[in-house]
Amino acid sequence: MDIIHSPPHHPLPRLSLLMAALLLPLLSSMAQANALERLFAPKAEHWAYWDSSDPEATQQIDHSGWGRFLGQYVLQGEDGINRVRYSQVSDADRQQLERYISALEQLPIRSYNAEQQLAYWINLYNAVTIDTVLQHYPVESIRDIDISPGFFADGPWGKKLLSIEGQQVSLNDIEHRILRPIWQDPRLHYALNCASLGCPNLSTSAYNADNIELQLDQAATTFVNNPRGVSFTDGKLYVSSIYSWFRDDFGKSDSAVIDHLQRYAAAPLKDTLADTTRIAGDRYNWSLNDAP
């Protein structure tokens, strides 16, 4: 598996680039890479408009169409990585996917309860990501889909692709302005898929409000116990770059991140982590999660 160190999806401010250029020569090469990744990782910025739900609401959202799409086109690999059969998606299923996304856009989502909202945002994020790749397929990486505004923008994440309750919403908005700040649950990083081999798996089933806690735990367990999430090389611990980019979500120190990993690790990884105090580095692969 190719190992790629690169900052996550985010427009790079000119002033921040200038400051980085001045400070980075003072650091080692590995420290430079880690500093850049953390510096430009999107921060959780609360979008107050969406911080509203009705705990008494009983209406449910139908994600069965998305579930059928996932069941048909997501393949589970022997290496533990789920891949998408982008090239085989039929025109009819592509149109059905777009109708599903459009239907979610029409919902007054703030009138639903929090569990329905959580499943809604996760499924919508993943469905829009897949639809965006299909619109530009074939590509080698989702980062090649440079449709976000801004001179330094990378990938599709900054473009306002959705209109929900009169608000223009991007993928970055869903992840970093809605899900992360409102739910404050590190397991969200395991549920959201960025169409890359280094990313936590795109689930083979839709997220559902009735069992979403179990689904989030399963997603975390799957990723932590896969080498692209956690691995040891020459006795040193290497982790996915998501633990660097979004470190505050998992813990503000190596020991805190390792404690989080132990929560989902199975033996013998769990025992090895118990004797580990330092993270040696991080890795990521931005290649498209395309099925052969």
PDB file of all heavy atoms in Angstrom, residues 133-134 136-140 288 290:
ATOM      1  N   VAL A 133     -17.756  11.567  -6.966  1.00  0.00           N
ATOM      2  CA  VAL A 133     -16.761  10.753  -7.678  1.00  0.00           C
ATOM      3  C   VAL A 133     -17.341  10.255  -8.993  1.00  0.00           C
ATOM      4  O   VAL A 133     -16.682  10.311 -10.046  1.00  0.00           O
ATOM      5  CB  VAL A 133     -16.292   9.571  -6.812  1.00  0.00           C
ATOM      6  CG1 VAL A 133     -15.413   8.628  -7.628  1.00  0.00           C
ATOM      7  CG2 VAL A 133     -15.523  10.070  -5.589  1.00  0.00           C
ATOM      8  N   LEU A 134     -18.578   9.786  -8.976  1.00  0.00           N
ATOM      9  CA  LEU A 134     -19.201   9.273 -10.190  1.00  0.00           C
ATOM     10  C   LEU A 134     -19.318  10.353 -11.263  1.00  0.00           C
ATOM     11  O   LEU A 134     -19.178  10.070 -12.460  1.00  0.00           O
ATOM     12  CB  LEU A 134     -20.587   8.701  -9.871  1.00  0.00           C
ATOM     13  CG  LEU A 134     -20.601   7.386  -9.095  1.00  0.00           C
ATOM     14  CD1 LEU A 134     -22.016   7.047  -8.660  1.00  0.00           C
ATOM     15  CD2 LEU A 134     -20.007   6.252  -9.927  1.00  0.00           C
ATOM     16  N   HIS A 136     -17.229  12.631 -11.885  1.00  0.00           N
ATOM     17  CA  HIS A 136     -15.918  12.947 -12.455  1.00  0.00           C
ATOM     18  C   HIS A 136     -15.102  11.695 -12.802  1.00  0.00           C
ATOM     19  O   HIS A 136     -13.948  11.813 -13.217  1.00  0.00           O
ATOM     20  CB  HIS A 136     -15.122  13.819 -11.472  1.00  0.00           C
ATOM     21  CG  HIS A 136     -15.750  15.153 -11.210  1.00  0.00           C
ATOM     22  ND1 HIS A 136     -16.745  15.332 -10.261  1.00  0.00           N
ATOM     23  CD2 HIS A 136     -15.540  16.360 -11.778  1.00  0.00           C
ATOM     24  CE1 HIS A 136     -17.110  16.601 -10.243  1.00  0.00           C
ATOM     25  NE2 HIS A 136     -16.408  17.238 -11.152  1.00  0.00           N
ATOM     26  N   TYR A 137     -15.672  10.534 -12.596  1.00  0.00           N
ATOM     27  CA  TYR A 137     -14.968   9.284 -12.838  1.00  0.00           C
ATOM     28  C   TYR A 137     -14.645   9.122 -14.332  1.00  0.00           C
ATOM     29  O   TYR A 137     -15.464   9.488 -15.189  1.00  0.00           O
ATOM     30  CB  TYR A 137     -15.840   8.121 -12.358  1.00  0.00           C
ATOM     31  CG  TYR A 137     -15.165   6.782 -12.369  1.00  0.00           C
ATOM     32  CD1 TYR A 137     -14.353   6.389 -11.316  1.00  0.00           C
ATOM     33  CD2 TYR A 137     -15.335   5.910 -13.445  1.00  0.00           C
ATOM     34  CE1 TYR A 137     -13.731   5.158 -11.326  1.00  0.00           C
ATOM     35  CE2 TYR A 137     -14.717   4.671 -13.463  1.00  0.00           C
ATOM     36  CZ  TYR A 137     -13.909   4.302 -12.399  1.00  0.00           C
ATOM     37  OH  TYR A 137     -13.279   3.078 -12.406  1.00  0.00           O
ATOM     38  N   PRO A 138     -13.439   8.597 -14.684  1.00  0.00           N
ATOM     39  CA  PRO A 138     -12.416   8.047 -13.781  1.00  0.00           C
ATOM     40  C   PRO A 138     -11.424   9.096 -13.261  1.00  0.00           C
ATOM     41  O   PRO A 138     -11.046  10.012 -13.999  1.00  0.00           O
ATOM     42  CB  PRO A 138     -11.705   7.031 -14.676  1.00  0.00           C
ATOM     43  CG  PRO A 138     -11.826   7.625 -16.060  1.00  0.00           C
ATOM     44  CD  PRO A 138     -13.154   8.316 -16.106  1.00  0.00           C
ATOM     45  N   VAL A 139     -11.023   8.942 -12.028  1.00  0.00           N
ATOM     46  CA  VAL A 139      -9.977   9.757 -11.416  1.00  0.00           C
ATOM     47  C   VAL A 139      -9.107   8.838 -10.567  1.00  0.00           C
ATOM     48  O   VAL A 139      -9.559   7.785 -10.116  1.00  0.00           O
ATOM     49  CB  VAL A 139     -10.555  10.884 -10.533  1.00  0.00           C
ATOM     50  CG1 VAL A 139     -11.248  11.943 -11.374  1.00  0.00           C
ATOM     51  CG2 VAL A 139     -11.516  10.317  -9.480  1.00  0.00           C
ATOM     52  N   GLU A 140      -7.884   9.235 -10.366  1.00  0.00           N
ATOM     53  CA  GLU A 140      -6.986   8.430  -9.539  1.00  0.00           C
ATOM     54  C   GLU A 140      -7.185   8.705  -8.058  1.00  0.00           C
ATOM     55  O   GLU A 140      -6.919   7.847  -7.223  1.00  0.00           O
ATOM     56  CB  GLU A 140      -5.525   8.698  -9.926  1.00  0.00           C
ATOM     57  CG  GLU A 140      -5.170   8.215 -11.325  1.00  0.00           C
ATOM     58  CD  GLU A 140      -3.689   8.394 -11.635  1.00  0.00           C
ATOM     59  OE1 GLU A 140      -2.953   8.865 -10.745  1.00  0.00           O
ATOM     60  OE2 GLU A 140      -3.275   8.047 -12.743  1.00  0.00           O
ATOM     61  N   LEU A 288      -7.893   6.435  -4.960  1.00  0.00           N
ATOM     62  CA  LEU A 288      -9.330   6.210  -4.973  1.00  0.00           C
ATOM     63  C   LEU A 288      -9.652   4.779  -4.534  1.00  0.00           C
ATOM     64  O   LEU A 288      -8.962   3.831  -4.920  1.00  0.00           O
ATOM     65  CB  LEU A 288      -9.882   6.447  -6.379  1.00  0.00           C
ATOM     66  CG  LEU A 288     -11.408   6.461  -6.502  1.00  0.00           C
ATOM     67  CD1 LEU A 288     -12.000   7.687  -5.826  1.00  0.00           C
ATOM     68  CD2 LEU A 288     -11.825   6.403  -7.977  1.00  0.00           C
ATOM     69  N   ASP A 290     -11.311   2.426  -5.507  1.00  0.00           N
ATOM     70  CA  ASP A 290     -11.949   1.886  -6.696  1.00  0.00           C
ATOM     71  C   ASP A 290     -11.747   0.371  -6.740  1.00  0.00           C
ATOM     72  O   ASP A 290     -10.644  -0.128  -6.554  1.00  0.00           O
ATOM     73  CB  ASP A 290     -11.335   2.523  -7.941  1.00  0.00           C
ATOM     74  CG  ASP A 290     -12.168   2.341  -9.201  1.00  0.00           C
ATOM     75  OD1 ASP A 290     -13.245   1.716  -9.095  1.00  0.00           O
ATOM     76  OD2 ASP A 290     -11.742   2.808 -10.262  1.00  0.00           O
TER      77      ASP A 290
END
